[in-house]
Amino acid sequence: MKNLGKYKKLAIASLSAIALAASIAVAQTVKTDQDKGQRSRSEWQGGRGERGDHAWGGMRSGLFSKLNLTDDQKAKIKQIHESFAERNKPLRDQLHAKRQELRQASEGDTFNEALATQKLTEMASLEAKLMGEQFKLHQETLSVLTAEQKAQLDQAKAQFKTRRAERRDNQ
């Protein structure tokens, strides 16, 4: 029984280390806000218009391009997205800071599991809040659309999912 306790502790420590390593790998692949500030405007645009359009799959790209939005709808959607970005900047900044703290906690020769767990828990809470805000953004954006446009959007989503499933099956 004594040995079983050691194995459980080792398994928990191993799983925690794997979770931390995965979080760090994800965090390092995500471009930080500081990196974004160093990019030129043309890099942001990527040939697809303003940053907001590309970043949100917005009005001129993706599924929204097929909806024939009016200029008024485009303006309302742009305002909704700008408001979202402004309202959630502090939350995104907090997440960025927590990611940096997590990276710093994992540097060096020693691994502080308790600190890493604390930072991951704090990040999870912030990410959940951001997800809730993104859901609100989606709902606000949909509220600008007419019933016909919503039906077109649903149809375009269904077609996209079908094509994606077909591509997966062919691979």
Side-chain angles (χ1 to χ4, degrees):
M1 281 299 213
K2 246 182 175 177
N3 288 340
L4 185 59
K6 288 180 184 178
Y7 288 119
K8 283 184 181 179
K9 288 180 185 177
L10 182 60
I12 291 170
S14 297
L15 290 173
S16 297
I18 290 170
L20 177 64
S23 298
I24 291 169
V26 169
Q28 288 178 344
T29 59
V30 174
K31 297 291 183 191
T32 63
D33 289 340
Q34 183 179 19
D35 292 338
K36 290 178 184 176
Q38 295 173 353
R39 290 181 179 184
S40 70
R41 183 170 177 86
S42 62
E43 288 175 313
W44 268 115
Q45 289 176 344
R48 292 181 135 187
E50 295 180 4
R51 177 178 175 234
D53 288 348
H54 175 68
W56 296 104
M59 297 172 279
R60 290 187 283 179
S61 63
L63 301 178
F64 274 77
S65 66
K66 300 175 182 177
L67 300 181
N68 298 320
L69 298 172
T70 66
D71 289 340
D72 185 49
Q73 287 176 312
K74 290 176 185 178
K76 286 179 183 175
I77 291 173
K78 183 176 181 178
Q79 176 56 39
I80 290 169
H81 286 224
E82 288 173 354
S83 173
F84 168 84
E86 185 179 316
R87 189 174 63 240
N88 289 289
K89 185 175 183 348
L91 186 56
R92 290 190 321 271
D93 290 344
Q94 287 177 338
L95 264 171
H96 176 72
K98 294 296 177 194
R99 285 186 186 109
Q100 284 183 322
E101 291 171 14
L102 182 61
R103 275 188 230 114
Q104 290 170 351
S106 66
E107 291 175 353
D109 295 338
T110 59
F111 172 69
N112 186 339
E113 182 179 352
L115 181 60
T117 301
Q118 175 191 354
K119 296 302 174 192
L120 288 169
T121 303
E122 292 169 359
M123 286 172 57
S125 173
L126 294 171
E127 287 173 348
K129 288 178 186 176
L130 186 58
M131 288 175 72
E133 291 298 318
Q134 289 169 335
F135 180 77
K136 289 179 191 175
L137 170 70
H138 181 73
Q139 295 304 314
E140 286 181 58
T141 303
L142 289 179
S143 73
V144 174
L145 303 179
T146 64
E148 182 180 323
Q149 288 170 327
K150 289 177 186 176
Q152 289 174 343
L153 184 61
D154 289 341
Q155 184 180 10
K157 285 180 186 178
Q159 289 173 350
F160 175 79
K161 287 179 182 180
T162 301
R163 286 193 308 267
R164 184 175 58 189
E166 288 172 357
R167 282 194 302 269
R168 283 186 195 156
D169 292 343
N170 290 335
Q171 291 178 353

